[in-house]
Amino acid sequence: MSQMPPSIPTPLRCVSLSSQRSSSHAHHVCLRTLAGAGRAPVRPGKVSRELNPEEQQELRRRINSRERKRMQDLNMAMDALREVMMPYSSPAAQHHPHHSRRLSKISTLILARNYILLLGSSLQEMRRLGVGLGGAAPRLLLAGNWPFLATPGQLLLTSDSLLTSGKNSLPPQPTEEPTLPQPQWATGGGPGTQLCSCGACKLPHIVHTSPGVRYPK
DNA sequence: TAGGCCATCTGGTCCT
DNA sequence: AGGACCAGATGGCCTA
């Protein structure tokens, strides 16, 4: 996606690159605004270095380039994950992967998270049944009803919905069976929605999904 | 046209 | 001293 082209650094302001932890090697590179609105205050004890406009531009260019590269690497990793998760995003995507809309970043991450949870549940069931590698696959994997992605807000399934996502609901697990750590969901956000209580993702989600519009495949 | 998604720029903080 | 990481701001593209 070519959006804003890499631009030549424009308004260069005073940037404090000082370290909060140790002031011994702290530094302060002043990228004064080219408009010349005045010099930013230099912190006491900080080593300041004036850069001429060419140096300011070059520094800004390097910083921007690094950031661009960092984000591009991150997007490459996201694409790799998206490629793996795409077949599980929706039934239609499995049949017509080339016609499906690509997953958004947030959808990819949420789908991957739920897939991992589902695999964990399946592994747990295999252990419970004493199934080896050559044995029958757990019903969770055979059920075929994957937590298909409708919209990002609809994919954060509860552990219960994961365990009962198959056409044949699973019998309750023995109480003595150690359980995998599952996300703790706190109710909130109105009927049919729940909030994850963990600090990382307090996204509302809808347990009963309906076909999505934005990312149908 | 509004809203979602995204890339890029930018300044701040942390780490080596 | 410089790089990595992060989050906010901004603007472009696309779809309903």
Side-chain angles (χ1 to χ4, degrees):
Chain A
M1 203 182 268
S2 67
Q3 317 249 346
M4 289 197 298
S7 67
I8 294 173
T10 42
L12 297 171
R13 291 189 251 288
C14 232
V15 50
S16 171
L17 302 176
S18 60
S19 168
Q20 294 253 327
R21 290 178 298 103
S22 64
S23 60
S24 60
H25 66 289
H27 56 281
H28 181 91
V29 177
C30 189
L31 301 179
R32 283 185 296 117
T33 171
L34 295 178
R39 185 171 304 179
V42 178
R43 297 181 188 178
K46 308 289 182 186
V47 178
S48 65
R49 180 163 67 95
E50 289 294 325
L51 299 178
N52 61 45
E54 289 75 21
E55 290 174 324
Q56 295 172 19
Q57 283 201 0
E58 181 57 31
L59 175 60
R60 194 65 256 178
R61 227 188 301 268
R62 285 208 313 268
I63 294 174
N64 290 348
S65 179
R66 278 199 306 270
E67 177 65 9
R68 214 178 303 126
K69 172 70 163 48
R70 192 183 71 84
M71 294 307 298
Q72 285 169 356
D73 290 345
L74 183 65
N75 286 335
M76 285 178 61
M78 184 65 69
D79 284 339
L81 179 61
R82 183 180 286 127
E83 185 177 346
V84 171
M85 299 312 300
M86 186 57 123
Y88 307 110
S89 62
S90 75
Q94 297 179 48
H95 298 126
H96 307 284
H98 49 287
H99 287 157
S100 58
R101 185 188 307 281
R102 81 168 197 167
L103 292 169
S104 67
K105 291 181 178 180
I106 182 68
S107 298
T108 301
L109 291 176
I110 293 173
L111 183 62
R113 172 188 178 277
N114 283 349
Y115 184 62
I116 291 171
L117 289 177
L118 184 69
L119 289 180
S121 298
S122 298
L123 181 60
Q124 189 174 317
E125 186 189 6
M126 288 179 68
R127 288 192 178 127
R128 184 172 63 86
L129 298 175
V131 175
L133 287 177
R139 280 163 293 171
L140 275 174
L141 293 176
L142 293 175
N145 268 12
W146 295 89
F148 295 128
L149 174 67
T151 65
Q154 294 176 326
L155 194 65
L156 289 174
L157 303 174
T158 64
S159 56
D160 285 345
S161 64
L162 280 176
L163 289 172
T164 59
S165 62
K167 290 177 180 177
N168 304 320
S169 61
L170 296 173
Q173 296 189 354
T175 54
E176 68 274 10
E177 178 73 16
T179 58
L180 289 173
Q182 298 286 355
Q184 299 299 311
W185 301 100
T187 58
T193 65
Q194 290 181 320
L195 290 175
C196 177
S197 62
C198 81
C201 56
K202 294 186 176 178
L203 297 174
H205 79 287
I206 301 169
V207 175
H208 300 290
T209 63
S210 59
V213 178
R214 177 76 181 175
Y215 297 99
K217 301 178 173 65

